[in-house]
Amino acid sequence: MIEQLAQQAMAVPGEAWTTKELFVLPNEYIYWSIQIVMYPFMTGLVAGAFVLSSLYHVFGVQRLRDIARFSLVFSFALLPVAMMPLLLHLQQPLRGINVLMTPHFTSAISAFGIVFLTYGSIVASELWFVYRRHFVLTVRELAARKERSGFAGFRLLFFKILTLGAMDISPAALDKDHQACKIMAAIGIPVACFLHGYAGFIFGSVKANALWMTPLMPVIFICSAIVSGIALCILSYVVIQAIRRLRARREMTARPAGAGGAPAVEGLQEATRQEVMLVSNYLLYFMIAAISLEILDLIFRGYTQVKSWDILRQVIMERDFTKIFILQYGIGNLLPFVMMILPGRTVRRTAAASCLVLFGVFMMRWNVVIGGQAFSLSFAGFMDYHLPIIPHNIETFKEGLFGALLVIITPFVLFYFINKIMPAFLKEEAH
Amino acid sequence: MNRRDFLKGTIVVIAGAAVPLSSLEFFDPCEVLAVNPGIHWAFLVDTYKCVGCGFCVKACKLENDVPLEAKVTRTWVERYVYTRDGHQYVDSPDGALQGFPEPRIDMGLGEFKEIEPDNVGKAFFVPKLCNHCDTPPCTQVCPVGATYKNDEGVVLVDRSWCIGCGYCIMACPYGARYFHPVYKVADKCTLCYHRITKGLPPACVEACPFGARKICNIQDSNDPVTRLILSERVGILKEEFGTRPQAFYIGLTAEVR
C-alpha cells in the first residue's frame, strides 16, 4: 500500500494517460495532451471569427453586417480562452508570465505574448470604435435620469470610463469611427493569421517529430482556423437568433398586437437565412483550401517515402485510421461538405453541417497533436493516449475531459457578460 | 610653453613610448584559445564494453536526485537482439535500472517475447544519454531561455526559471528530456556538472565497471579519451537532424537510432 502510494507520488507527468507498446524510449510520454489540442483549436476559432467579421468591415460585404458584429464580439470573448489551455498545461503556471517578461526569441512560443497582446489590442480598439456611439448614448440616457439606483450609478461611471471622454457622436465623428474600424480590421487580418499561423509553426518547426515537421503546417492551420471560426459563428448565430425569435414570439403573444419593441419574427428569420447562406459559401471555399492542403501533405509523404514513412504509415493508415479517415475526413469534412452543396440548403442543415465541421477541425487538431506523439522517436514503438475522464488529482483534471470542457464553456460565459456591455445584436444604422 | 617646444616634447614622448610598446604583440583571441585550449566536454561510449548491468542508471539516479521508482531517467541502456530468422527486437525495461534480469524481451503492454538462445544472431547493449549537442534544438525552442548551453558545452536547465511547457522535450530527437516528478520542470543529464567542475568523473562513468563510458575535454588533444575519439572510428546518433552531438559511440550500427 505504502509502496503504491509512493509510486503514485512519483508519477511522472504524462504517465497517467500514456500506454507504451513495443520499444519506446524510457522518457517518452504523451506530454502534450488534450490542452495542447484545445490551444490551436481555440486560437483557430478566435482567428476565424475575426476574419469573418473583417469581411464586412474591410471588404464591405453589407449583408454580413449583423453576423460581423456578432463575430467580432464573440472573437473578443474567445480571446482570453486561447491562453487558458496553455496555462492549464504548464507544469509551473505561476511562471507563465515569464514568457512575456523574459522572452527567448529563438523560440516560436516566445512570440506568443507579443502577437497575442497586439491582436488583443486590435480587437479591443476595433470594438471600441464600433460601440462608441452605444457607450455615449448609454451615458446620456443614464445621466438624464433624475433618480439612479446604486447599480445605475455604477453603470454610468463604467460607461463614462468606456467612452474615454470622447462624447462627440456627430455624423462626422461617427464617420471617422467607421474609417478607424476599417483600418483596424485591415491590420487585424494579417495579425489574426499570424496568431494562428505561428501556432502551426510551433508544431511544424519541431524537427524531431516526423509527423509535425512540414512547412505546410502554418498554412494548413490558418485555413482550418478560418473554417472552424466561421463554423462556430454560424452555429452560435443560428442558435442565438433562434432564441431571440422564440423570445420575440413570446413577447408578441404576451403583448397586444401592434406594440413595438420586439424585433419582428419574420424579418429576423429572413435576415438570418440570407446571412447564413452567404457565410456558408465562404465556409465552403476555406474548407476546400484546408482539405486540399492536408491531402497534399499526406500524398507527398506517401510519395516521397522518407525514413519516417514506415512508422507514419502504420500510424496514419492502421492505428489512427478511424480517427483520421472516418472521424476527421469522413464525418468532419466530407459529410458536411455534401450537406452544404446539395440543393435546397436550409439554415438548419447548414447549422448541423457547421457542427460537424467544428468536430472535424477538432479531430484534425487531435490527430496532429496526439497523432504526432503516437509513435516513438526510436521508430520502433507506439504510444496510446487515454483521455482522463474522472479526475483523481489536479493533473488529471487539468489535462482531462473536465479541463477541456472548462475551456470550451468559458468563451460562452464571457460572451454573456461582454454582450451586456457591448450588445452583439444592437439595432442601429450602418456605421 | 610655445608651440615649438610643445611639438618637440610630443615627438620625444611618442618616440620614447614606441620602444617598449613595440615589444607587445596584439593577440587574436582565437589564436590564444588554440594554444591554451578551453574546456569543451564530450562523452564517449564504447558499446563493445557494455554488458547492460545498469549500474550507470542507478548511480545517475542516486547522484542526481531522480527518484529510483520514477519511470524516467537521465541515462538508460538499450538491448538489441537480432534473431537468425530475421527479426529485430529492442527493449529497455525501466531504462535498465536493474539491468536486464530476464532474457525475454519486454514488448510493452505487459507482454514479453521469449527468444531461444540458439536463435540469437547477434545482441548488444547501447547506453544512451543527453548528447549535449553543439546546436541543441532543445535550447532553441525554450520560450524563456531557462535551458541553455554553457561555455563548456554542457546543456543545462535552470530549475528556477523553467515554466514546464514541455517544448524542449518535444524538440529533443533523442528523448533525453522529461519532466522531473518532484520539481515539475524539464530535467536532463548535466554530465554531472557539479562533479566534473571539481575534477571528478560523472557518476555513470565512475560506476561503469567495464569502462564503457568515458568523458573528456575534446579541446585537449593530450586527453587519452580525446585521442580515442580522434583516432577510432566513432559514430554519432541521428546525424540527419544536424544537431552535432558531442556524445560519440564506438560500435554503432544503422539500427541504433
Side-chain angles (χ1 to χ4, degrees):
Chain A
M1 182 66 193
I2 291 170
E3 265 178 19
Q4 253 181 353
L5 280 175
Q7 191 85 37
Q8 260 183 6
M10 280 307 131
V12 182
E15 200 181 330
W17 50 77
T18 310
T19 51
K20 300 180 177 188
E21 201 177 331
L22 301 175
F23 178 55
V24 178
L25 299 179
N27 294 335
E28 279 187 286
Y29 291 100
I30 295 185
Y31 289 106
W32 282 5
S33 59
I34 184 76
Q35 291 299 354
I36 302 297
V37 176
M38 296 306 296
Y39 163 63
F41 187 64
M42 297 318 275
T43 40
L45 295 178
V46 177
F50 185 79
V51 169
L52 180 58
S53 79
S54 305
L55 285 175
Y56 165 68
H57 288 291
V58 182
F59 303 108
V61 186
Q62 287 298 327
R63 280 157 66 199
L64 291 182
R65 205 184 75 203
D66 283 352
I67 200 169
R69 195 182 307 125
F70 163 75
S71 50
L72 185 64
V73 176
F74 202 49
S75 163
F76 194 59
L78 281 164
L79 196 63
V81 186
M83 200 171 57
M84 228 171 106
L86 286 185
L87 280 177
L88 285 172
H89 163 72
L90 290 186
Q91 293 288 318
Q92 301 282 350
L94 293 178
R95 294 182 193 164
I97 193 78
N98 290 5
V99 179
L100 299 178
M101 295 299 160
T102 61
H104 181 235
F105 285 114
T106 59
S107 168
I109 296 183
S110 70
F112 180 81
I114 295 156
V115 179
F116 186 78
L117 291 177
T118 310
Y119 180 69
S121 41
I122 286 173
V123 178
S125 45
E126 192 182 334
L127 272 174
W128 187 76
F129 285 118
V130 171
Y131 282 97
R132 199 177 64 85
R133 180 171 176 274
H134 170 70
F135 295 155
V136 173
L137 288 178
T138 314
V139 168
R140 284 188 185 165
E141 189 252 323
L142 285 169
R145 282 190 202 171
K146 290 252 161 52
E147 283 176 16
R148 277 192 300 269
S149 64
F151 179 66
F154 171 75
R155 273 192 71 197
L156 178 61
L157 182 70
F158 185 72
F159 275 93
K160 258 188 183 164
I161 294 169
L162 279 181
T163 62
L164 300 177
M167 300 291 282
D168 181 6
I169 49 167
S170 62
L174 287 181
D175 200 46
K176 272 189 182 163
D177 279 6
H178 186 46
Q179 285 299 322
C181 239
K182 204 168 174 173
I183 294 169
M184 281 328 222
I187 304 171
I189 295 176
V191 177
C193 288
F194 193 79
L195 175 74
H196 199 67
Y198 114 92
F201 187 86
I202 289 178
F203 294 99
S205 64
V206 176
K207 63 181 167 189
N209 193 304
L211 186 77
W212 293 348
M213 197 193 154
T214 160
L216 281 183
M217 198 60 101
V219 195
I220 292 177
F221 265 52
I222 289 173
C223 287
S224 56
I226 296 173
V227 168
S228 66
I230 295 179
L232 181 65
C233 282
I234 292 180
L235 188 64
S236 325
Y237 190 68
V238 169
V239 170
I240 293 173
Q241 291 290 32
I243 295 172
R244 291 180 73 215
R245 253 198 333 268
L246 209 69
R247 273 196 194 156
R249 201 169 283 149
R250 199 179 295 158
E251 276 179 45
M252 294 251 286
T253 46
R255 285 185 202 184
V265 176
E266 301 311 317
L268 254 177
Q269 203 153 7
E270 182 51 28
T272 310
R273 201 189 70 80
Q274 280 190 3
E275 278 181 309
V276 168
M277 289 304 133
L278 187 60
V279 173
S280 56
N281 284 342
Y282 290 110
L283 179 63
L284 277 175
Y285 304 148
F286 281 109
M287 263 179 85
I288 293 170
I291 299 167
S292 314
L293 285 168
E294 283 171 42
I295 299 289
L296 172 67
D297 181 52
L298 193 63
I299 291 174
F300 201 78
R301 285 170 192 279
Y303 191 78
T304 52
Q305 295 198 358
V306 292
K307 197 172 167 184
S308 55
W309 175 245
D310 250 357
I311 190 108
L312 285 187
R313 189 185 51 74
Q314 286 185 60
V315 170
I316 295 170
M317 303 294 182
E318 289 163 27
R319 300 175 65 89
D320 280 1
F321 184 86
T322 321
K323 282 183 217 143
I324 294 175
F325 289 99
I326 312 253
L327 295 181
Q328 182 190 329
Y329 288 124
I331 297 177
N333 289 336
L334 189 66
L335 184 60
F337 196 84
V338 172
M339 279 168 80
M340 280 193 284
I341 54 170
L342 280 183
R345 183 168 65 184
T346 59
V347 169
R348 201 171 290 176
R349 204 208 295 168
T350 313
S354 302
C355 202
L356 289 178
V357 166
L358 275 176
F359 172 72
V361 174
F362 179 80
M363 280 318 291
M364 179 259 178
R365 308 291 192 233
W366 179 287
N367 290 329
V368 168
V369 176
I370 306 290
Q373 299 169 80
F375 56 94
S376 165
L377 290 168
S378 67
F379 289 171
F382 301 95
M383 283 186 282
D384 258 332
Y385 175 64
H386 305 275
L387 177 73
I389 294 178
I390 310 290
H392 51 80
N393 57 19
I394 187 78
E395 199 194 347
T396 42
F397 169 75
K398 285 197 314 185
E399 302 251 357
L401 181 67
F402 288 95
L405 287 178
L406 187 70
V407 173
I408 291 175
I409 292 163
T410 313
F412 295 97
V413 176
L414 284 178
F415 178 75
Y416 177 81
F417 288 109
I418 293 174
N419 193 38
K420 297 267 173 212
I421 302 162
M422 297 181 280
F425 301 97
L426 195 62
K427 274 272 162 236
E428 61 175 291
E429 68 273 19
H431 46 73
Chain B
M1 188 186 267
N2 59 23
R3 191 193 298 165
R4 180 180 293 266
D5 288 340
F6 173 74
L7 288 174
K8 264 187 189 170
T10 309
I11 290 168
V12 168
V13 168
I14 290 175
V19 177
L21 280 178
S22 66
S23 65
L24 292 177
E25 252 183 87
F26 287 99
F27 292 115
D28 181 354
C30 296
E31 281 175 34
V32 177
L33 207 65
V35 178
N36 307 300
I39 295 176
H40 191 97
W41 296 105
F43 206 84
L44 177 65
V45 178
D46 188 344
T47 57
Y48 289 114
K49 292 182 178 164
C50 180
V51 301
C53 64
F55 284 8
C56 50
V57 182
K58 204 174 271 180
C60 172
K61 282 198 159 185
L62 291 172
E63 176 70 30
N64 292 300
D65 208 11
V66 181
L68 281 175
E69 60 276 23
K71 297 215 177 295
V72 285
T73 176
R74 293 181 174 199
T75 182
W76 66 98
V77 183
E78 296 169 1
R79 170 169 64 179
Y80 289 76
V81 179
Y82 298 75
T83 55
R84 290 189 195 283
D85 52 8
H87 289 100
Q88 180 200 326
Y89 301 95
V90 196
D91 73 342
S92 182
D94 280 347
L97 177 66
Q98 310 295 341
F100 294 84
E102 296 191 62
R104 53 184 192 167
I105 302 285
D106 183 359
M107 305 290 281
L109 300 176
E111 287 174 26
F112 295 89
K113 173 83 184 171
E114 299 279 357
I115 297 176
E116 291 298 316
D118 294 342
N119 193 18
V120 176
K122 65 174 173 181
F124 54 89
F125 299 98
V126 179
K128 294 247 185 105
L129 70 162
C130 168
N131 288 274
H132 295 275
C133 309
D134 256 356
T135 48
C138 52
T139 61
Q140 183 189 24
V141 300
C142 178
V144 294
T147 179
Y148 55 95
K149 188 174 177 70
N150 77 0
D151 293 341
E152 298 172 11
V154 184
V155 178
L156 299 169
V157 181
D158 184 347
R159 270 185 192 162
S160 69
W161 210 250
C162 173
I163 60 172
C165 66
Y167 204 9
C168 57
I169 303 177
M170 289 294 141
C172 175
Y174 305 100
R177 289 174 169 255
Y178 55 88
F179 279 130
H180 195 288
V182 179
Y183 302 107
K184 306 284 181 200
V185 291
D187 197 53
K188 65 182 287 298
C189 159
T190 60
L191 283 180
C192 282
Y193 195 64
H194 57 289
R195 287 173 61 92
I196 56 177
T197 45
K198 288 181 192 139
L200 297 166
C204 60
V205 172
E206 190 153 76
C208 181
F210 303 97
R213 307 172 67 117
K214 298 185 178 81
I215 189 165
C216 68
N217 174 10
I218 198 138
Q219 288 186 349
D220 179 5
S221 51
N222 294 321
D223 191 316
V225 182
T226 305
R227 281 213 292 256
L228 261 179
I229 294 176
L230 295 176
S231 59
E232 286 290 324
R233 275 166 277 182
V234 290
I236 49 170
L237 295 171
K238 299 191 183 185
E239 51 87 34
E240 69 270 21
F241 287 108
T243 51
R244 296 191 210 149
Q246 296 302 297
F248 300 91
Y249 285 80
I250 295 176
L252 275 190
T253 68
E255 291 82 2
V256 179
R257 287 190 275 230

